[in-house]
Amino acid sequence: MVSNQKMPSSDFKVVKAQIQEQKFLKKMLLDRQNSVLSLKMMGTELLSNTKTVELEQAETLMKNITLRFDELISTAEKRMTVLEKIIPIAQEFQDVSTPLTEWLEISEKKLHSMSCIPVEENKIKDMIIQHEKIIADIGEQQKSVDQLNVIYEKLKKIASITESDTICHRISSINEKFNELKSSSESVGAILKEAHKGVGQFVLLM
């Protein structure tokens, strides 16, 4: 069971399940601890009374069993320590990244819908108001992006190399999308400004 365990995950849901699995393993090991101790005591009593080749072999076997059992407990405890360190940071990462990713997708669609600039002045004004809201949202969400990058730095220090690579890919994707959104927003803003200016000049000429 221990040998088949995957590396501690950086995904909150997965690491949560891994902790439950680890608790079950710990209980299972503790349930067998008394049996191992009893076996060790029995062997000690036998060896104190007599010495034969068979008993010496049994002693070696019992020592190996005890050693392997102690190693299992030690490994399980170390794994639990790592999992318990990861889970609060993984949850924090999820709590920030999930709404941020959803907002990015919605905002990308909103900006895309602004790619067709209307010719009516009132519609352009409405679009400018919508765009100003997106600009304000970008300013607010910058805090979440910065926070997520800080969480990522903490998470990668305790995650495995494979998990660190996975997190790196996710955070890079979010940063890239956010920067693209800012750039697109600036472009749309410039176009709307020119469109509004052009319509205003056209109205004056009329």
Side-chain angles (χ1 to χ4, degrees), residues 116-163:
C116 295
I117 307 297
V119 293
E120 297 91 341
E121 186 178 13
N122 62 326
K123 289 185 178 180
I124 293 175
K125 285 181 178 179
D126 288 341
M127 194 172 281
I128 288 172
I129 292 170
Q130 292 175 35
H131 180 256
E132 286 173 349
K133 188 179 184 308
I134 291 176
I135 292 173
D137 287 345
I138 289 173
E140 282 298 313
Q141 292 297 332
Q142 179 70 61
K143 299 172 187 175
S144 296
V145 174
D146 293 341
Q147 184 184 1
L148 197 64
N149 279 282
V150 171
I151 297 168
Y152 160 66
E153 290 298 326
K154 291 192 290 184
L155 197 54
K156 75 175 185 178
K157 288 178 182 177
I158 52 177
S160 65
I161 295 173
T162 303
E163 285 297 318

Side-chain angles (χ1 to χ4, degrees), residues 21-120:
E21 178 190 71
Q22 204 63 23
K23 285 179 179 178
F24 173 75
L25 175 62
K26 184 179 180 180
K27 184 180 182 302
M28 190 173 70
L29 289 172
L30 290 175
D31 288 344
R32 283 159 177 74
Q33 193 169 33
N34 288 334
S35 299
V36 174
L37 290 173
S38 297
L39 185 65
K40 187 178 180 181
M41 288 174 64
M42 189 186 302
T44 303
E45 289 176 6
L46 286 170
L47 289 169
S48 63
N49 295 324
T50 182
K51 279 280 184 181
T52 64
V53 175
E54 288 80 6
L55 285 173
E56 287 176 359
Q57 289 175 344
E59 181 187 21
T60 301
L61 178 61
M62 282 185 287
K63 283 182 178 178
N64 287 336
I65 291 172
T66 303
L67 181 63
R68 287 178 63 189
F69 188 78
D70 290 343
E71 286 176 352
L72 275 174
I73 290 179
S74 177
T75 301
E77 287 175 347
K78 287 177 182 176
R79 179 177 171 84
M80 180 60 89
T81 299
V82 173
L83 290 170
E84 287 175 342
K85 283 182 180 178
I86 288 176
I87 193 164
I89 306 173
Q91 182 172 11
E92 193 179 1
F93 188 90
Q94 177 180 282
D95 290 346
V96 177
S97 64
T98 300
L100 178 58
T101 302
E102 290 172 356
W103 172 81
L104 279 169
E105 291 175 358
I106 292 169
S107 298
E108 284 171 353
K109 289 176 182 177
K110 284 181 180 178
L111 275 178
H112 182 71
S113 69
M114 293 180 180
S115 58
C116 295
I117 307 297
V119 293
E120 297 91 341

Side-chain angles (χ1 to χ4, degrees), residues 5-22:
Q5 287 183 315
K6 293 182 179 180
M7 293 297 293
S9 176
S10 59
D11 183 276
F12 174 65
K13 290 181 180 178
V14 177
V15 76
K16 190 177 180 181
Q18 287 180 326
I19 284 180
Q20 292 304 314
E21 178 190 71
Q22 204 63 23

Side-chain angles (χ1 to χ4, degrees), residues 146-201:
D146 293 341
Q147 184 184 1
L148 197 64
N149 279 282
V150 171
I151 297 168
Y152 160 66
E153 290 298 326
K154 291 192 290 184
L155 197 54
K156 75 175 185 178
K157 288 178 182 177
I158 52 177
S160 65
I161 295 173
T162 303
E163 285 297 318
S164 292
D165 290 343
T166 302
I167 308 164
C168 181
H169 177 73
R170 285 184 64 190
I171 197 74
S172 295
S173 176
I174 290 171
N175 283 327
E176 186 178 334
K177 285 183 178 180
F178 185 75
N179 289 329
E180 285 176 357
L181 186 71
K182 285 200 295 185
S183 178
S184 297
S185 177
E186 289 170 2
S187 298
V188 169
I191 294 169
L192 284 171
K193 186 178 179 180
E194 286 299 315
H196 186 250
K197 182 181 176 182
V199 170
Q201 289 174 344

